[in-house]
Amino acid sequence: MDDVEPTVRSMTERGLRFVQVRAFNAVVVHGNFSEAARALGLTQPAITAQIRSLEEIAGSRLFHRGAAQTQLTELGRALVEPLRSLHHALADAEDRLAASRELRQGILSVGICGPYLVLPLLGSFARDHPGVRITTRFGNSNELIDGVREHRLDLAAVTLVAPAPELFNLLLATQRLVLAAPRDHPLAPDGRIRLEVLQQEAVITREAGSMTRQIFEDGLGRAGVSLAPAWEFGTREAVKEAAAYGLGLGIVLDHEFGHDSRLVKLTIEDASFTAGEYLISP
């Protein structure tokens, strides 16, 4: 029939559902309602109701009901191939949706400010859901927050002084700023430093706009201290490397200090420099 495609389109517009298409194809394959119901794990009245609702949408009978065998009407025969193709397409879409919903497959895009806290979580997730491919993007916290808000990232692990507005925030840990000092620094044995002493030191910070830099400057402001950094670097690794080479004291978060044998950790005694490590998502 030349009007099959318009008929299918009209049926779709009138509320054609997957269960109706599935029931139709099962009756075609198995020859009657009872066998179709058995194959789908349904009752015969359920199959009958689905076929009747499909016929109401089509505006015509699709089957001639018989005692032993169910025969297709002319319209029913014309719809076999289109509805079989539609059934395959819908079944495939349903499988893909279920796989994504059940985390059997898909892509998870993750923004990472610092790897130390989030990588164990991602490793555990990957072991539990091997079919999900994880992609990562590294950046500072402000860049990653924008990525989540603009839906370029599914979630991100970021350092924040307060939860990000209008996003889901899960606190992973509380972090504090410490100083990375070369092992031969005079204060290395003590492991502590006061702000008045820090003002006499060359300080190495992250770039303007990074959350580590903001936490440091906010803490100095609360303490009424002004301190211009001697060096600025775009990554925490560069900050620690510069400190190891004796360029000054590097500002880093304690969970990101690492295990570099060339460095020791100094805590700042008389000021508060703390923030949270959050997992954020839309």
Side-chain angles (χ1 to χ4, degrees):
M1 297 177 67
D2 294 336
D3 60 345
V4 169
E5 284 192 15
T7 299
V8 173
R9 190 180 308 115
S10 173
M11 292 169 69
T12 302
E13 291 171 352
R14 294 177 63 185
L16 182 65
R17 292 181 291 127
F18 174 67
V19 292
Q20 297 162 336
V21 177
R22 184 182 62 178
F24 175 86
N25 280 280
V27 174
V28 171
V29 169
H30 296 282
N32 59 60
F33 284 37
S34 60
E35 290 299 320
R38 187 175 293 109
L40 295 179
L42 301 173
T43 64
Q44 183 171 331
I47 290 291
T48 301
Q50 289 165 4
I51 295 298
R52 282 177 178 168
S53 64
L54 183 63
E55 290 175 333
E56 289 175 4
I57 292 173
S60 177
R61 282 287 187 94
L62 301 179
F63 294 99
H64 297 298
R65 277 73 159 174
Q69 193 74 13
T70 301
Q71 300 292 327
L72 286 160
T73 65
E74 182 180 0
L75 177 59
R77 286 193 299 273
L79 289 174
V80 167
E81 286 305 319
L83 291 186
R84 180 181 292 133
S85 297
L86 183 58
H87 177 259
H88 290 327
L90 291 173
D92 180 64
E94 175 63 22
D95 287 344
R96 291 174 184 269
L97 288 171
S100 177
R101 185 170 57 249
E102 297 163 8
L103 300 178
R104 289 187 279 111
Q105 67 180 36
I107 300 175
L108 180 67
S109 58
V110 183
I112 300 176
C113 174
Y116 303 96
L117 290 172
V118 72
L119 285 185
L121 298 178
L122 293 182
S124 177
F125 180 90
R127 287 189 294 273
D128 291 341
H129 307 286
V132 177
R133 183 163 66 91
I134 301 173
T135 64
T136 59
R137 173 189 166 188
F138 283 79
N140 69 42
S141 294
N142 290 320
E143 294 170 345
L144 299 179
I145 291 170
D146 289 341
V148 171
R149 284 183 172 148
E150 295 167 8
H151 303 287
R152 290 181 280 109
L153 294 169
D154 295 315
L155 53 89
V158 295
T159 304
L160 301 172
V161 293
E166 301 174 2
L167 295 175
F168 169 80
N169 294 260
L170 175 64
L171 180 64
L172 300 178
T174 299
Q175 299 220 65
R176 63 175 180 171
L177 287 186
V178 296
L179 297 169
R183 185 161 291 279
D184 60 358
H185 192 279
L187 292 174
D190 193 37
R192 295 184 304 236
I193 190 172
R194 296 183 63 81
L195 280 177
E196 62 179 346
V197 177
L198 181 59
Q199 289 177 280
Q200 310 306 315
E201 298 278 346
V203 174
I204 308 164
T205 69
R206 289 286 302 277
E207 77 283 5
S210 79
M211 191 57 63
T212 303
R213 175 75 170 266
Q214 181 182 327
I215 296 165
F216 181 57
E217 292 178 344
D218 288 349
L220 292 177
R222 288 191 297 272
V225 172
S226 177
L227 195 160
W231 300 87
E232 295 181 10
F233 291 98
T235 66
R236 71 184 56 83
E237 289 74 19
V239 169
K240 292 189 289 187
E241 197 65 22
Y245 275 103
L247 298 185
L249 302 179
I251 302 295
V252 295
L253 292 162
D254 57 351
H255 286 289
E256 299 171 356
F257 189 85
H259 305 284
D260 192 324
S261 61
R262 300 171 299 168
L263 296 171
V264 295
K265 185 185 299 184
L266 300 182
T267 59
I268 303 172
E269 290 186 296
D270 50 348
S272 174
F273 300 90
T274 60
E277 189 74 11
Y278 289 88
L279 198 62
I280 62 170
S281 65

